[in-house]
Amino acid sequence: MSDPRARLLSLLSLLQTPRLWSGSELARRLGVSGRTVRRDVDRLRELGYPVHAEQGGLGGYRLTAGTAMPPLLLEDDESVAVAIGLRTAAAQPVAGVDEAAVRALRKLLQVLPARLRRRVDTLASATVAHPFSLAAEPVDPDTLVVASAAIANHERLRFRYRDEGRHVEPRALVTAGRRWYLLAFDLDRGDWRTFRLDRVATAAATGARATTRDVPGGDVAAFVAARTMRMAPTCTADVVLHAPAAQVVDRLGGPPPGTLTDQPDGTCRWLAPPDTPEWHALRLASIGLPFTVSGPPELAAHLRSTAELFQAATAGPGPRPST
């Protein structure tokens, strides 16, 4: 490869693969001598790329972490993946991360080839945020870093949670919609606890070694889902839909959770398993058929308050209903 600039970019692309490259292999890939490889490595170092050399018969070159972030070379699929990840990060409730993600995405889109930018734009235009995603208070990024480091280092953690001191052995961070949860074994209470990370303050690792514990059931995500569901007010639902069951299944693209039974008068009765009133309402709205709520009262109350909000939203200026 005779063009020094193209050769330098090719060398950098090779070194960004996380492995040890021998000088002879780099020379063969680039079609140059070992001396040229050494000279090009020196040029990369002058440009700020931390290229580490290991001596000996099994030695070689590798790109390591330095004091500053040098420019990166990305393959086409890597560039698209980074752009998609930045779009996702821009919607996350981690304080400061959303703005940083937007800035980084703007820089990346500016230099992306048109063919890759079209792929990113196509995905963005086809993706819609769920309108019932949980709202969330912003998470302190320092808390996120401290908690994740304590998990990785198997250290105990102290923090304030709703103005109470907590001493825990952190196990995992779990995301649910736009909320972050910390799963940890509470040493003071002798049991597993799930903490909303936006309510955690003054988190600090103690340096003490955390005991290796198995999460009940073995599935971290399932355990946190069950715990958070228990914390939310749930209820069963007893609803009569003014249509036959086959029409309901057709509207949903499959049977809803629970039991759906046809009635003699052409309606069907839906007995739904425990869930939050919000999710019961979401499923009923997605069916798009007339229905009557037989119970429970909290579901009927939620539907009435939601109907008042929607009615006020379409009625024009006027007093807002109390909630």
Side-chain angles (χ1 to χ4, degrees), residues 13-299:
S13 180
L14 290 171
L15 290 174
Q16 285 182 168
T17 301
R19 52 164 289 192
L20 188 67
W21 291 89
S22 68
S24 59
E25 187 174 4
L26 289 174
R28 180 178 60 81
R29 291 286 192 103
L30 299 173
V32 297
S33 66
R35 181 180 179 183
T36 300
V37 168
R38 290 191 293 273
R39 187 166 59 244
D40 286 347
V41 166
D42 289 337
R43 289 198 182 104
L44 287 178
R45 288 169 175 160
E46 292 172 359
L47 292 172
Y49 292 95
V51 182
H52 174 69
E54 296 185 14
Q55 304 299 323
L58 299 178
Y61 300 96
R62 72 168 73 246
L63 201 61
T64 62
T67 58
M69 180 68 182
L72 297 176
L73 290 179
L74 299 174
E75 301 292 339
D76 285 1
D77 55 346
E78 294 171 337
S79 299
V80 173
V82 170
I84 294 170
L86 288 172
R87 285 189 184 275
T88 302
Q92 289 298 310
V94 180
V97 169
D98 51 352
E99 296 179 6
V102 170
R103 292 197 305 270
L105 180 61
R106 188 182 301 120
K107 293 177 182 178
L108 179 60
L109 293 178
Q110 185 175 357
V111 298
L112 274 184
R115 68 181 190 282
L116 299 183
R117 191 159 51 246
R118 281 195 297 271
R119 288 170 60 182
V120 175
D121 291 341
T122 298
L123 179 64
S125 63
T127 304
V128 179
H130 198 297
F132 288 87
S133 295
L134 289 173
E137 295 296 323
V139 174
D140 184 350
D142 291 337
T143 301
L144 197 60
V145 170
V146 170
S148 59
I151 293 168
N153 297 330
H154 303 284
E155 291 183 88
R156 292 181 176 181
L157 195 64
R158 287 190 181 275
F159 54 83
R160 302 289 297 176
Y161 191 75
R162 290 177 170 170
D163 294 328
E164 291 186 13
R166 296 298 179 97
H167 186 203
V168 305
E169 294 181 337
R171 177 63 171 80
L173 292 171
V174 179
T175 58
R178 287 174 49 81
R179 283 185 181 160
W180 288 76
Y181 295 93
L182 170 66
L183 174 62
F185 188 84
D186 194 316
L187 294 169
D188 296 323
R189 291 160 177 79
D191 194 9
W192 291 94
R193 290 289 190 272
T194 300
F195 304 95
R196 273 180 49 179
L197 213 62
D198 56 286
R199 295 174 177 172
V200 171
T202 63
T206 66
R209 188 76 176 172
T211 303
T212 301
R213 304 176 189 272
D214 293 328
V215 177
D219 189 327
V220 170
F223 183 81
V224 172
R227 284 295 180 96
T228 53
M229 182 61 73
R230 283 213 305 263
M231 291 187 292
T234 61
C235 60
T236 58
D238 186 354
V239 179
V240 174
L241 294 152
H242 300 176
Q247 188 175 351
V248 174
V249 172
D250 182 64
R251 289 288 185 99
L252 292 175
T259 59
L260 192 64
T261 308
D262 277 314
Q263 303 296 302
D265 59 357
T267 63
C268 63
R269 184 183 183 190
W270 178 31
L271 296 176
D275 211 328
T276 62
E278 290 80 6
W279 276 108
H280 286 314
L282 174 61
R283 291 191 183 101
L284 289 168
S286 65
I287 295 172
L289 293 170
F291 62 90
T292 302
V293 176
S294 301
E298 51 264 44
L299 175 58

